[in-house]
Amino acid sequence: MTRWLVLVFAISAFLTAGSASAQVKVTPLDFHERTLANGLKVLSIVDHASPTVSVQVWYKVGSKDDPEGRSGFAHLFEHMMFKSTKNMPAEKFDRLTEDVGGYNNASTYDDYTNYYELVPSNYLETLLWAEAERMANLTVDDAVFKSERDVVKEEFRFRILSQPYGRLFYLIDKLSFTTHPYKRPGIGSIEELDAASVTDVRSFFRTFYRPDNATLIVSGDLDQKQFDAWVDKYFGRIAKPTAAIPRVTVTEPDRTESKRFTEYSPIAPLPAVAITYLAPPASSDDATALDLAETILSGGESSRLYKSLVYDQQLAQNAFSNSDTREDRGSFLLAAILANDKKPVDAEFALLAELRKMQDAPVTDAELSKAKNQLVTSTLQGRETNDGKASALAYAAVMLRDPARVNTDIARLQAVTAADIQRVMKKYFTEDNRVVIYYLPESMRANAGGKGQ
């Protein structure tokens, strides 16, 4: 029986079990773990089902580590790492991956930046050399810096300034956090990028792009002994810097009172309402219950928010939630983009009413089963690929600080009860822990004298 048929049957058995307590047995990921003398953490999964390998390097540097007044540096390096090195011309990564039928990409988050490639397994050594090369010998000069800075600025214009609700999502963290650098936008700021110098950028690279701040993860068709030898050959020779890695130590304080903000947009066609609550870290025992709460609230068009605000009350054209857990304190978002001629205050009350329902009564067995089915299925489907296996293992190692959690988190998810969800809804969704943002078209500014337009 093929592996994908095994997956289908496993998911089908889970979906037809008809109970929130139904369990699906998941084959654990068998991984190998070691740490080099220079501090590089190395994780590998041997899987010969496909003649490919996923190569990923996760650096423990994200937008929260941007220097004060220089937001966007972590994002900038997501782009610069694909330029030239001492021994590799610019764009060579595309040639080493795309030209052999693979792909490459990278992402910047609040807590980390990850680089990932998928290639035929006979190119594994080449990709290990290339990743070590850009870790050790990236070209950081004025020409590359200015070129990629322009790329990031253009991305800001496209994703933030030209999208009807781009500014809203830019503002959510800025208004939700008072102290922690999570309040700084990960994409950066045009003004702060313009104020940066190539000297600033070189210092950032030397500070964070180093072996003892990185985790190498490889999954797929590899020979463990040969892989270890190649890692020693290419990464083992990179020196460990003597300077300490600066870490964010500030903690976002508890909110002691609710806050309200009204912002205006020159291009938003309709009002929007966003409500945020501070949430626990990703490693918290409560994070899984909040993930399930998010799915019950907005996991599809039959979810509570969509059904109530879009279908039944016709207050909104879209309503959604997001459990944004991070290494430190995260946030939980509820939001709605209003339907034509509807009032923000009505959408706010409707969102809060759905929260109160989950606080006042446990979710139903059917809702809990469905939410677990959605999350387990998504997880299992992701782990059918070498890329997915590597990403799951990397997240456990880097964000949860325990690679073994890759093999326990599905069981943790399935163990959540309706009482657990009701408990976290009462614990975190309090009036004092609330920030409310009205995001209104500029044309509504003239009526700003009234509250809850």
Side-chain angles (χ1 to χ4, degrees), residues 123-400:
Y123 288 93
L124 173 57
E125 182 182 7
T126 302
L127 263 294
L128 293 174
W129 168 81
E131 284 288 10
E133 170 66 15
R134 64 179 175 178
M135 178 188 289
N137 297 314
L138 186 71
T139 300
V140 185
D141 60 20
D142 201 52
V144 171
F145 161 57
K146 290 180 177 177
S147 170
E148 297 313 298
R149 180 175 63 180
D150 286 344
V151 172
V152 172
K153 287 161 61 177
E154 191 57 35
E155 186 177 339
F156 181 93
R157 295 184 183 100
F158 174 73
R159 289 174 52 189
I160 306 300
L161 301 183
S162 70
Q163 303 300 316
Y165 300 95
R167 289 177 178 84
L168 171 62
F169 293 102
Y170 183 82
L171 286 167
I172 284 173
D173 281 348
K174 189 175 181 179
L175 299 177
S176 295
F177 292 90
T178 62
T179 306
H180 198 282
Y182 286 153
K183 67 183 179 180
R184 296 200 301 259
I187 194 171
S189 135
I190 289 178
E191 294 76 18
E192 293 188 8
L193 286 168
D194 280 340
S197 70
V198 69
T199 302
D200 297 331
V201 175
R202 285 196 187 107
S203 175
F204 187 85
F205 180 75
R206 288 193 301 268
T207 300
F208 293 107
Y209 278 78
R210 44 195 278 180
D212 55 334
N213 198 40
T215 303
L216 168 68
I217 313 96
V218 177
S219 173
D221 182 31
L222 60 93
D223 175 271
Q224 186 66 53
K225 185 176 180 180
Q226 179 64 81
F227 169 72
D228 288 341
W230 285 335
V231 170
D232 289 339
K233 177 180 180 181
Y234 298 116
F235 287 93
R237 63 191 181 192
I238 302 175
K240 176 182 178 179
T242 56
I245 302 170
R247 296 299 186 197
V248 173
T249 58
V250 65
T251 300
E252 181 68 18
D254 292 338
R255 292 175 178 169
T256 57
E257 61 180 357
S258 63
K259 292 185 179 180
R260 305 182 66 88
F261 301 92
T262 300
E263 302 285 342
Y264 294 90
S265 166
I267 60 174
L270 295 165
V273 174
I275 305 174
T276 73
Y277 297 83
L278 291 180
S283 57
S284 164
D285 290 338
D286 289 344
T288 304
L290 288 172
D291 288 341
L292 283 163
E294 175 201 329
T295 305
I296 292 167
L297 283 166
S298 64
E301 294 187 5
S302 62
S303 61
R304 288 193 177 196
L305 291 183
Y306 203 93
K307 185 176 184 301
S308 176
L309 276 75
V310 178
Y311 282 141
D312 295 343
Q313 301 181 66
Q314 298 183 10
L315 285 170
Q317 59 169 292
N318 196 9
F320 52 94
S321 62
N322 180 42
S323 180
D324 187 8
T325 51
R326 314 177 194 192
E327 184 177 41
D328 301 307
R329 246 179 173 166
S331 64
F332 196 106
L333 166 73
L334 298 106
I337 298 174
L338 275 61
N340 196 33
D341 296 327
K342 300 301 180 180
K343 296 180 179 180
V345 66
D346 294 331
E348 178 190 349
F349 289 164
L351 289 169
L352 295 177
E354 292 305 316
L355 287 186
R356 284 193 294 271
K357 288 178 185 178
M358 294 182 72
Q359 292 172 328
D360 293 342
V363 299
T364 66
D365 284 349
E367 287 178 308
L368 185 55
S369 287
K370 179 183 175 183
K372 288 181 178 180
N373 293 345
Q374 289 172 296
L375 295 181
V376 171
T377 299
S378 175
T379 300
L380 291 176
Q381 287 176 330
R383 295 186 186 187
E384 277 298 286
T385 66
N386 285 324
D387 229 7
K389 291 185 186 74
S391 294
L393 181 58
Y395 185 86
V398 175
M399 278 293 290
L400 305 181

Side-chain angles (χ1 to χ4, degrees), residues 38-101:
N38 59 14
L40 178 73
K41 297 179 179 65
V42 184
L43 298 163
S44 55
I45 300 171
V46 178
D47 188 337
H48 300 297
S50 164
T52 63
V53 286
S54 172
V55 179
Q56 303 192 12
V57 180
W58 288 41
Y59 290 90
K60 199 71 171 58
V61 55
S63 57
K64 74 178 183 186
D65 301 294
D66 288 342
E68 188 65 36
R70 295 292 185 269
S71 65
F73 269 31
H75 181 205
L76 180 66
F77 270 98
E78 176 197 326
H79 293 261
M80 291 182 66
M81 285 285 279
F82 289 95
K83 309 313 287 184
S84 67
T85 72
K86 178 181 178 182
N87 300 300
M88 192 164 53
E91 319 303 336
K92 184 64 173 179
F93 246 87
D94 290 342
R95 307 287 67 79
L96 296 178
T97 53
E98 295 171 5
D99 288 4
V100 299

